[in-house]
């Protein structure tokens, strides 16, 4: 137990002076490192691990390779066997990210990428072997468990350095760090389809075969991830941009500091050689007075409210991504090639969401956009069954694409939201832990979703004279419980405190909870359920008194 506590208590990366000197260069003696080099490197890594979102394109080919074709009036039908691999990978993804998050902070992003790339490569090879030997369990273990571990650590490896190097624009940095994950399945479905063959699930005619597809694509992913990982690194000790350090939480940026600040830009220069950097020394107030430790972050009320919110905000998108190609083929009656196009379109919306809304969140805040996301998703999840009944292509695809947009935005905003609340110093570890909520969405969602799906398929099949299930009604029951989860998360999101004063100002006697009303005034809920509005003058005086107790001058 002590080792576990120690593992989650330390996020310090120890580097020698020689290593800090080396990290000033991208190519020693030729090209100096610049923090903007991290962005394309992160994109390349995320494009590789984002191929996970194209797994639905593997479902029918893997089942055809292992069990033979399964046709309903000439249309391939998903047995819902291979899709379990996706949910296993999602479960292991989050667990690996949570467990290895502190390790990543202590050992640096390159070692994290190296470990992630190696495990993901091994997972692809094992999956190919499982298909070749017709052993589905080996696909589960290979891609689901081993590959899922690689995906988890590979995903968070570029996120942490970008949050630390860009503390003044956390939303944009987070969006750029993870947008490739959404874009990975824009490319992967066509790569898979081109290597496997567009008619394979009907007639088993193939180009290179399913096993070799895993080998070829896995090899490409491994090389790209390793090369991109060489660019990743953490900032040096004392690094800050416009006075904002890795310890600064949202709202504390306005507190003044007497610390030497690089006001012009952010450069990778160890403190011992910063004498030539232009600095501005201002009034002595510390921006890091509210610095929070990792154990404090992980045990806070705010963190677990965010955990519950993230669980529901990703539910409908994750299920839509895993089933989009099956829905387009089985419910809307198109072919595999058309389904691949729509899968790529959904991935494009996922990518756009990861870039667009995190960028906007730098100006309007993360919480308002999460509220918007959950509200819109609730409406669309409620409408989707009707669109499927009507076989409305525009309705189904528009709903799926908007859900995909907000799904991506959740992943893009959550690292910045965590950095706002608990500082970018802890973002690698807190991000890893909160990803387990996404894994729970995958595991619990998959178990419930697939159980209900199989039950509905059997029920609908027995209700028709031909003995064939009426597939347009097969998702109705699932959409109802998903809608409930989204609505609960919407309510949870409303209660996440984000304002610095709301979070940190000590409670007065009899106070139960507090929040800000739409007019900006603090409202205290007192014992006896009495609501008290605090005037701006009283709030300012209380805040100033509190700041003085912290010796912030």
């Amino acid at each position: 137990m002590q080792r576990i506590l120690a593992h989650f208590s330390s996020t310090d990366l120890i580097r020698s002076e020689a290593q800090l000197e080396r990290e000033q260069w991208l190519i020693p003696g030729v090209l100096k490192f610049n923090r903007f080099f991290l962005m394309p490197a992160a994109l390349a890594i995320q494009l590789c691990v984002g191929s996970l979102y194209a797994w639905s394109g593997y479902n029918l080919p893997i089942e055809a390779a292992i069990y033979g074709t399964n046709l309903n009036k000439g249309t391939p039908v998903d047995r819902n066997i291979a899709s379990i691999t996706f949910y296993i990978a999602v479960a292991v993804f989050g667990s690996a990210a949570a467990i290895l998050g502190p390790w990543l902070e202590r050992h640096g992003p390159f070692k994290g990428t190296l470990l992630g790339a190696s495990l993901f490569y091994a997972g692809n090879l094992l999956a190919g072997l499982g298909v070749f030997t017709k052993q589905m369990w080996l696909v589960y273990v290979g891609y689901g468990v081993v590959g899922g571990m690689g995906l988890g650590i590979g995903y968070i490896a570029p996120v942490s350095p970008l949050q630390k190097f860009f503390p003044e624009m956390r939303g944009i940095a987070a969006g750029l760090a993870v947008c490739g994950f959404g874009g990975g399945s824009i490319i992967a479905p066509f790569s898979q389809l081109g290597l496997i063959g567009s008619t394979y699930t009907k007639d088993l005619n193939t180009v290179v075969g399913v096993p070799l597809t895993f080998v070829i694509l896995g090899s490409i992913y491994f090389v790209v991830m390793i090369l991109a990982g060489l660019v990743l690194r953490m900032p040096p000790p004392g690094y800050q941009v416009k006075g904002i350090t890795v310890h600064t939480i949202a709202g504390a940026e306005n507190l003044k500091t007497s610390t030497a600040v690089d006001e012009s830009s952010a450069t990778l220069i160890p403190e011992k050689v910063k004498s030539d950097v232009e600095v501005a020394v201002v009034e002595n107030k510390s921006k890091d007075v509210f610095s929070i430790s990792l154990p404090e972050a992980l045990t806070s009320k705010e963190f677990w409210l965010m955990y519950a919110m993230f669980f529901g905000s990703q539910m409908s998108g994750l299920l839509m991504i895993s089933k989009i190609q099956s829905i387009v083929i089985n419910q809307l009656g198109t072919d595999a090639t058309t389904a691949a196009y729509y899968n790529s379109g959904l991935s494009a919306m996922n990518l756009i969401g990861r870039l667009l809304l995190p960028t906007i969140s730098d100006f309007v805040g993360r919480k308002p956009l999460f509220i918007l996301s959950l509200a819109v998703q609730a409406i669309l999840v409620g409408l989707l069954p009707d669109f499927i009944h009507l076989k409305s292509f525009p309705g189904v695809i528009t709903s799926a694409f908007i859900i995909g947009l907000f799904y991506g935005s959740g992943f893009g905003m959550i690292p910045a939201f965590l950095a706002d609340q608990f500082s970018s110093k802890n973002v690698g570890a807190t991000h890893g832990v909160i990803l387990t909520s996404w894994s729970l969405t995958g595991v619990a969602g998959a178990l419930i979703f697939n159980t209900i799906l199989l039950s509905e398929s059997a029920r609908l099949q027995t209700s028709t004279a031909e003995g064939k299930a009426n597939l347009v009604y097969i998702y109705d029951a699932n959409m109802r419980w998903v809608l409930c989860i989204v609505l609960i998360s919407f309510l949870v999101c409303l209660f996440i405190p984000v304002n610095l004063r709301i979070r940190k100002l000590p409670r007065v006697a009899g106070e139960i909870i507090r929040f800000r009303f739409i007019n900006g005034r603090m409202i205290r809920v007192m014992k006896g359920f009495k609501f008290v509005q605090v005037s701006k003058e009283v709030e300012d005086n209380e805040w100033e008194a509190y700041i003085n107790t912290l010796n912030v001058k």
Side-chain angles (χ1 to χ4, degrees):
M1 180 59 70
Q2 289 182 339
R3 289 187 177 182
I4 295 174
L5 293 175
H7 172 69
F8 282 97
S9 298
S10 174
T11 56
D12 294 328
L13 172 62
I14 308 300
R15 289 167 290 179
S16 66
E17 292 295 330
Q19 184 177 355
L20 288 171
E21 188 70 28
R22 286 195 304 272
E23 289 182 351
Q24 294 185 57
W25 296 89
L26 183 64
I27 302 176
V30 177
L31 181 63
K32 280 270 192 178
F33 175 80
N34 185 295
R35 63 176 180 160
F36 288 95
F37 293 155
L38 293 171
M39 293 179 177
L43 178 64
I45 292 171
Q46 298 287 5
L47 283 171
C48 294
V49 296
S51 60
L52 170 67
Y53 281 149
W55 179 263
S56 60
Y58 276 129
N59 289 339
L60 292 172
I62 288 175
E63 290 172 359
I66 296 178
Y67 305 108
T69 58
N70 184 32
L71 304 178
N72 181 0
K73 297 180 181 179
T75 301
V77 177
D78 191 347
R79 293 179 173 91
N80 296 306
I81 297 174
S83 60
I84 295 172
T85 311
F86 176 82
Y87 297 110
I88 295 173
V90 168
V92 176
F93 181 113
S95 301
I99 294 170
L100 294 174
W103 177 88
L104 172 69
E105 294 290 340
R106 293 193 297 270
H107 291 83
F110 172 68
K111 289 184 179 178
T113 304
L114 179 61
L115 177 61
S118 300
L119 289 171
F120 187 40
Y121 188 29
N124 275 278
L125 296 180
L126 287 171
L129 180 62
V131 177
F132 181 77
T133 59
K134 300 186 185 300
Q135 299 294 320
M136 194 65 220
W137 69 268
L138 191 52
V139 178
Y140 292 156
V141 172
Y143 195 97
V145 178
V146 179
M149 292 173 61
L151 289 166
I153 188 63
Y155 178 84
I156 64 173
V159 175
S160 182
L162 272 164
Q163 283 296 296
K164 291 177 173 62
F165 269 107
F166 294 89
E168 83 284 19
M169 44 176 158
R170 288 169 173 163
I172 296 174
L176 286 167
V178 303
C179 70
F181 196 80
S185 53
I186 297 176
I187 302 170
F190 296 101
S191 302
Q192 295 167 5
L193 194 64
L195 292 169
I196 295 171
S198 61
T199 64
Y200 180 76
T201 55
K202 294 182 178 180
D203 53 27
L204 299 182
N205 289 325
T206 186
V207 179
V208 301
V210 179
L212 196 54
T213 297
F214 278 107
V215 175
I216 293 171
L217 294 181
S219 299
I220 293 172
Y221 298 148
F222 177 76
V223 172
V224 172
M225 290 178 70
I226 294 299
L227 292 176
L230 293 170
V231 180
L232 303 183
R233 61 208 65 196
M234 295 293 196
Y239 178 87
Q240 49 189 306
V241 182
K242 298 180 180 179
I244 306 173
T245 75
V246 297
H247 300 283
T248 308
I249 66 172
E253 303 93 336
N254 296 324
L255 297 178
K256 297 179 180 180
T257 176
S258 61
T259 307
V261 179
D262 175 6
E263 292 287 356
S264 57
S265 64
T267 51
L268 185 58
I269 305 174
E271 285 296 300
K272 66 186 184 66
V273 294
K274 271 194 173 178
S275 58
D276 60 334
V277 177
E278 182 180 352
V279 298
V281 179
V282 292
E283 187 181 350
N284 181 26
K285 283 196 175 184
S286 174
K287 297 173 188 286
D288 298 336
V289 67
F290 297 112
S291 177
I292 186 170
S293 69
L294 179 59
E296 289 172 334
L298 295 177
T299 55
S300 68
K301 175 187 69 176
E302 291 96 330
F303 180 83
W304 291 104
L305 286 173
M306 291 174 68
Y307 191 96
M309 173 207 70
F310 194 63
F311 176 85
S313 70
Q314 306 307 103
M315 173 73 75
S316 57
L318 182 61
L319 295 173
M320 183 58 65
I321 285 170
S322 70
K323 289 296 182 182
I324 183 63
Q325 294 198 66
S326 297
I327 290 173
V328 170
I329 293 172
N330 295 328
Q331 279 67 46
L332 301 182
T334 65
D335 56 32
T337 301
T338 302
Y341 277 112
Y342 283 109
N343 189 46
S344 292
L346 180 61
S347 300
M349 296 304 292
N350 187 351
L351 185 153
I352 292 170
R354 290 168 186 253
L355 279 173
L356 180 61
L357 271 72
T359 300
I360 296 173
S361 75
D362 277 339
F363 303 97
V364 304
R366 328 297 174 197
K367 179 178 173 178
L369 292 182
F370 269 112
I371 291 173
L372 175 66
S373 167
L374 287 159
V376 173
Q377 286 186 68
I379 294 170
L380 295 177
V381 170
L383 291 174
L384 259 174
D386 292 328
F387 291 141
I388 294 175
H389 298 168
L390 297 170
K391 293 193 174 183
S392 170
F393 236 101
V396 172
I397 297 303
T398 300
S399 298
F401 280 13
I402 294 175
I403 289 172
L405 177 81
F406 283 115
Y407 176 80
S409 73
F411 275 105
M413 289 190 293
I414 198 65
F417 203 176
L418 290 165
D420 287 346
Q421 299 290 92
F422 312 112
S423 84
S424 57
K425 169 70 175 176
N426 297 313
V427 76
T430 55
H431 188 209
V433 173
I434 212 165
L435 285 175
T436 61
S437 70
W438 176 67
S439 293
L440 283 175
T441 299
V443 175
L447 289 174
I448 298 171
F449 196 91
N450 284 329
T451 299
I452 293 176
L453 194 65
L454 292 172
S455 174
E456 286 293 282
S457 178
R459 181 182 68 82
L460 293 170
Q461 184 170 319
T462 58
S463 67
T464 60
E466 297 84 4
K468 296 289 186 181
N470 192 339
L471 298 177
V472 296
Y473 298 105
I474 203 168
Y475 290 105
D476 288 16
N478 271 315
M479 291 302 171
R480 286 194 284 271
W481 71 262
V482 171
L483 176 59
C484 291
I485 296 294
V486 175
L487 288 173
I488 291 170
S489 294
F490 172 81
L491 295 175
V492 169
C493 186
L494 295 176
F495 289 95
I496 298 174
V498 295
N499 179 271
L500 185 63
R501 294 188 180 188
I502 295 293
R503 295 178 63 200
K504 299 298 183 180
L505 192 64
R507 297 187 187 280
V508 300
E511 180 180 354
I512 301 173
I513 194 172
R514 64 170 71 123
F515 60 91
R516 286 210 182 277
F517 196 54
I518 55 176
N519 63 0
R521 292 289 180 265
M522 180 188 294
I523 305 294
R524 286 190 168 114
V525 182
M526 311 299 289
K527 289 181 179 179
F529 218 63
K530 181 181 179 182
F531 289 77
V532 177
Q533 178 173 277
V534 182
S535 69
K536 186 177 185 304
E537 181 181 1
V538 170
E539 181 184 331
D540 289 343
N541 289 338
E542 288 185 10
W543 181 251
E544 187 64 28
Y546 171 59
I547 290 296
N548 289 335
T549 66
L550 301 175
N551 295 319
V552 179
K553 304 297 184 181

